[in-house]
Amino acid sequence: MKNLKFKKVYLFIAAMCTFMLHLPFAFSTGKKVAYKPIVPAPLSTKNNAFAFADKMYDSLKLNLCGLSIQAFEYAYKGYDFLKLKGKIANDNILSIVDFSKPSNQKRLFVIDVKNYKVLFNTYVAHGQGSGEAMATNFSNRPESLQSSLGFYTTADTYMGRNGFSLHLQGIEYGINDKAYQRSIVMHGAPYVSENYIFSKGYLGRSWGCPAVPEKLNKPIIETIKNGSCLFIYSENNRYLQQSAIINS
């Protein structure tokens, strides 16, 4: 008798469990509800500085000016890095020299990053030791007469043998940190002109300085002086792998 009662209780409990298991399906709408686990957001393939740089590049139509997107992305990333580190006093201006282009093209870009304006787009020379029409060789060594790649901050102005000039501070160790010692400055030069290009096919060359047209020398220097960021770029794998700022 006891076994019979136990059997009935067992059957009742089993029936209730079966009913409870099927209850959600009885009241369901027939639609599948996807299970969404909580997972971390995927990391972007580009950091925030690159993403913002791409938007600015498109907004300013810098491709129509001839500035490569790679040069601008790296320039803006470094500018953003240096700004966060408190290394630049004038964060309104970002200047880029794009040595991936020959000297008969306008490869200096001075950009107002606060107001989204290209202030200057003109010619700029490279060093005698860096190449003829294209700058392909770069050095931090004194008396090499070569240009140095990387990030600089602009310093004070002075009157020198090339007229109104701008001191530059190279801030990448082993890459351009000897710029001040080498007297690498921005100045005007008569060989940076369309007339020179017409006669030779390319600009004249400096002793490593980013020389600019004489007519634009003073307004460019007055715009970028006293602590703005200057980036000199080339598709140079050694620099791109070595730069601590590029790889930050």
Side-chain angles (χ1 to χ4, degrees):
M1 189 70 173
K2 286 183 181 179
N3 288 341
L4 182 61
K5 284 183 180 179
F6 178 78
K7 187 174 182 181
K8 286 181 178 180
V9 171
Y10 174 79
L11 290 173
F12 175 77
I13 293 172
M16 288 300 294
C17 288
T18 303
F19 172 76
M20 293 296 290
L21 286 171
H22 287 82
L23 190 60
F25 295 97
F27 289 95
S28 73
T29 60
K31 294 180 180 178
K32 276 190 174 182
V33 178
Y35 171 64
K36 295 181 179 179
I38 299 173
V39 294
L43 294 173
S44 172
T45 54
K46 292 184 176 182
N47 65 22
N48 291 336
F50 272 14
F52 190 82
D54 289 349
K55 291 179 182 178
M56 186 180 291
Y57 183 87
D58 292 338
S59 176
L60 293 173
K61 296 181 170 57
L62 293 173
N63 60 317
L64 300 180
C65 299
L67 177 61
S68 76
I69 190 167
Q70 291 83 7
F72 187 72
E73 283 181 340
Y74 286 132
Y76 192 85
K77 179 182 180 181
Y79 156 85
D80 190 59
F81 175 85
L82 295 172
K83 183 172 71 168
L84 291 174
K85 293 289 185 181
K87 299 293 186 181
I88 49 179
N90 178 5
D91 61 4
N92 292 328
I93 302 298
L94 172 59
S95 304
I96 304 168
V97 174
D98 187 357
F99 278 160
S100 67
K101 301 185 176 303
S103 66
N104 60 7
Q105 294 184 23
K106 294 181 178 181
R107 52 187 185 168
L108 170 63
F109 303 82
V110 178
I111 299 167
D112 182 340
V113 294
K114 296 295 185 182
N115 297 301
Y116 280 52
K117 291 181 180 178
V118 178
L119 303 178
F120 299 96
N121 176 206
T122 190
Y123 301 103
V124 59
H126 56 256
Q128 292 178 18
S130 288
E132 197 167 73
M134 289 290 298
T136 55
N137 302 305
F138 306 97
S139 177
N140 193 36
R141 182 171 50 84
E143 299 181 9
S144 66
L145 305 185
Q146 292 182 11
S147 298
S148 297
L149 299 175
F151 289 91
Y152 297 75
T153 55
T154 61
D156 58 315
T157 62
Y158 70 99
M159 288 297 296
R161 64 180 182 181
N162 292 303
F164 189 60
S165 303
L166 175 68
H167 283 124
L168 301 174
Q169 292 280 4
I171 55 177
E172 296 205 69
Y173 180 76
I175 297 172
N176 61 19
D177 61 304
K178 293 181 181 177
Y180 201 95
Q181 174 189 339
R182 295 176 59 204
S183 298
I184 300 301
V185 302
M186 181 173 282
H187 62 79
Y191 53 77
V192 184
S193 67
E194 291 186 340
N195 287 337
Y196 199 98
I197 293 172
F198 182 77
S199 64
K200 298 287 187 179
Y202 50 85
L203 292 181
R205 292 159 296 160
S206 67
W207 286 5
C209 299
V212 296
E214 288 180 307
K215 290 182 179 179
L216 292 175
N217 179 47
K218 188 173 176 63
I220 289 174
I221 288 177
E222 290 288 3
T223 300
I224 72 173
K225 67 181 182 180
N226 297 334
S228 71
C229 178
L230 167 67
F231 177 55
I232 299 181
Y233 169 77
S234 171
E235 297 167 332
N236 183 281
N237 288 331
R238 183 178 179 183
Y239 167 71
L240 295 176
Q241 292 169 7
Q242 187 180 355
S243 171
I245 297 176
I246 291 293
N247 294 292
S248 63

